[in-house]
Amino acid sequence: MSTSLPSYLKIHCADHETDRVAESQVESEAKWEQTELAVQATSVLINAAAKKGSDQVDQVLADALLATDATAAAVYLLDDATEQLNTRFVFGMLPAHRLGTSRPLRGARGDLEAMVQGTFTMQDLPANRMDQHSIPEPFASAICLCLNGTELPIGTLWLYSNAPHAFDEKATAAARLAATDICHTLVSLHRLSSPANGSSAPASARGRDLIDEENAAPDFDADRFVEAMEPLPGHTPPAIDDAPSAMHEWEKQISDWQCDTLPLGTRLARDWMVDGMVESPLAVAQSWHHWDVLPDGILAIAMCQFGHAWAPQGDLGDTLDATVARAALQAHLGYRHTPQEALMRTLHSLLQVRDAAIDESGRPSLSLLYAHVDPQSGRAAISSIGQWSSLIASPQGYRSLNLDRAATIAAEEIPGELPIMSHETTLLDGEALLVTSAQWMGIASEAPPLTPRLDETIRRDGIDHDSESVRHQIGASLQKAMMEGERSPLAALRRHTASIPLNRERAALALLHQANPIS
């Protein structure tokens, strides 16, 4: 049996007498049905619980109107796909043409603002028609509040007013209490309508096939729904089963993004070919390369390797630092900076974003190389930081650039000076510049253990003969391929490493100067 509303609540009903008469003629079953849908328990909620819940929500909305001096109220709840906002409760307005209607969440700026901020107030709307934030009803002012579950919003509560006044702090606090009370009311309805209480078919089930309890769909879990509506428990919740699959999906998306942003091998200018490669055992690669033609016609090439050293499991912090470095470097490409100046500005940007990206010795959390090449003269200016392996090969032989020499700096000199190394060389016709990640893409570090005599030799002269041996092997392979007319140095490099297990990432970039290509 329903209870009549207090007399003071009647002043908040519809303004016109015809509206009040029409509202009183709306069948109660329609309101009960919307209550059933609001709590998403159509298979367990009984008629009495729905009627009681409808009266309770009406009471909360009436109290909210009185406390905030508003005119009408409505509750909109999200559907399962979180794409539509369905009208479940209205008070102070004609419900016949409103209950059960829906509107898209996309474009509902007022609701979205409330879901982000918790509370969003709109006032003096007739004087500011261009900033109505998609208010659902034509009123002069409104306040929208988010109805929160445990982690995600489940809908919004709107309080409307005919007067273009501002909702003060007391009114906003009362509205927040009303929103909390509505959430608690929906939770209590679930507790009252559990299957153990002998529930009967809901009103909304008319016209549908009734399902026996033993044949009911097992995918609805009322306890889990109630748990999602209530505050978090004191203990740490168990890990979500879908987390690993979500991580794999994120890794795939990042990997696809990396592939989409890497440039393809191309003729960068007349007589100049450029190509790059990244082969990684990880889902998210730990390197990138880039090239471009600057406004003055100079060729620009860049390459980056994440982290101080190879991390078998990868490092998300290093990956984000490298992404910041790429954005900063590309932002500086259009200016007339030398490679050293561009590298310095990039590292300063990296330091501003995250202090820990550069340690106390001045060593950044990545290796970065940037070079300018004059396509007319072949003159190349190369600046680098970190560890690199490099050589220049031609049909006549090969020579090293010594980009892998380490450099350190005193901590008090940061950030004025950073351990950036600069080199200048000339790429003659028929020569190719090859730059790879540290230790020749890790090939040198994966060689068999050194013999005692060779280990003693390294300690005596300071030269890593194992790395030198790999450099000679790669240089000889490139020289032979170029003598045979090979125009892709990286193809020869891939053939050389084809039989070596991919235990760590291999990144390389090659720039070929060939004025008279062999047909």
Side-chain angles (χ1 to χ4, degrees), residues 7 13 19 29 85 95 193 299 380 407 427 482 505 508:
S7 59
C13 295
D19 289 345
E29 292 183 358
L85 284 164
S193 58
L299 310 182
L427 292 176
M482 297 178 73
E505 187 163 296

Side-chain angles (χ1 to χ4, degrees), residues 214-289:
E214 60 271 17
N215 297 326
D219 54 348
F220 179 80
D221 189 344
D223 293 336
R224 186 172 181 180
F225 179 85
V226 172
E227 183 180 272
M229 294 287 293
E230 292 180 333
L232 286 173
H235 63 278
T236 303
I240 302 176
D241 295 339
D242 294 337
S245 61
M247 291 298 297
H248 289 316
E249 182 62 25
W250 293 344
E251 289 180 349
K252 182 180 181 301
Q253 293 175 3
I254 296 174
S255 178
D256 292 342
W257 180 88
Q258 289 180 321
C259 293
D260 291 341
T261 56
L262 287 179
L264 300 175
T266 183
R267 182 181 295 276
L268 198 57
R270 183 180 178 182
D271 304 332
W272 293 89
M273 294 289 297
V274 64
D275 196 7
M277 81 172 200
V278 176
E279 297 177 353
S280 179
L282 302 178
V284 178
Q286 301 296 293
S287 59
W288 57 259
H289 51 261

Side-chain angles (χ1 to χ4, degrees), residues 364-382:
S365 61
L366 48 79
S367 295
L368 188 60
L369 178 142
Y370 181 53
H372 284 175
V373 180
D374 186 345
Q376 301 297 327
S377 63
R379 187 77 174 175
I382 306 172

Side-chain angles (χ1 to χ4, degrees), residues 134-155:
S134 301
I135 180 172
E137 300 289 343
F139 284 88
S141 61
I143 181 171
C144 181
L145 303 100
C146 179
L147 299 177
N148 283 312
T150 302
E151 297 179 352
L152 299 176
I154 62 173

Side-chain angles (χ1 to χ4, degrees), residues 91-293:
F91 191 85
M93 296 184 293
L94 192 64
H97 304 294
R98 292 182 173 88
L99 288 177
T101 60
S102 62
R103 53 191 177 91
L105 177 62
R106 184 173 184 178
R109 296 177 55 197
D111 299 86
L112 294 173
E113 289 282 357
M115 290 179 183
V116 173
Q117 302 178 20
T119 305
F120 188 69
T121 305
M122 289 146 283
Q123 52 185 319
D124 200 16
L125 293 177
N128 191 10
R129 288 290 183 184
M130 297 303 293
D131 189 27
Q132 293 192 15
H133 290 80
S134 301
I135 180 172
E137 300 289 343
F139 284 88
S141 61
I143 181 171
C144 181
L145 303 100
C146 179
L147 299 177
N148 283 312
T150 302
E151 297 179 352
L152 299 176
I154 62 173
T156 54
L157 165 65
W158 283 78
L159 302 177
Y160 305 106
S161 176
N162 286 325
H165 70 281
F167 289 87
D168 56 15
E169 294 182 358
K170 292 183 178 179
T172 303
R176 283 197 299 266
L177 290 174
T180 303
D181 201 359
I182 290 174
C183 289
H184 289 172
T185 300
L186 297 180
V187 172
S188 65
L189 290 178
H190 276 282
R191 292 172 177 169
L192 292 174
S193 58
S194 61
N197 294 334
S199 61
S200 62
S204 61
R206 286 189 298 269
R208 300 185 308 217
D209 294 335
L210 297 179
I211 303 176
D212 294 335
E213 182 176 352
E214 60 271 17
N215 297 326
D219 54 348
F220 179 80
D221 189 344
D223 293 336
R224 186 172 181 180
F225 179 85
V226 172
E227 183 180 272
M229 294 287 293
E230 292 180 333
L232 286 173
H235 63 278
T236 303
I240 302 176
D241 295 339
D242 294 337
S245 61
M247 291 298 297
H248 289 316
E249 182 62 25
W250 293 344
E251 289 180 349
K252 182 180 181 301
Q253 293 175 3
I254 296 174
S255 178
D256 292 342
W257 180 88
Q258 289 180 321
C259 293
D260 291 341
T261 56
L262 287 179
L264 300 175
T266 183
R267 182 181 295 276
L268 198 57
R270 183 180 178 182
D271 304 332
W272 293 89
M273 294 289 297
V274 64
D275 196 7
M277 81 172 200
V278 176
E279 297 177 353
S280 179
L282 302 178
V284 178
Q286 301 296 293
S287 59
W288 57 259
H289 51 261
H290 178 75
W291 49 74
D292 203 350
V293 179

Side-chain angles (χ1 to χ4, degrees), residues 277-280 437 441 446 497 500-502 504-508:
M277 81 172 200
V278 176
E279 297 177 353
S280 179
S437 48
M441 304 181 296
E446 295 174 359
T497 60
I500 302 176
L502 185 63
R504 59 183 295 170
E505 187 163 296
R506 298 171 186 169

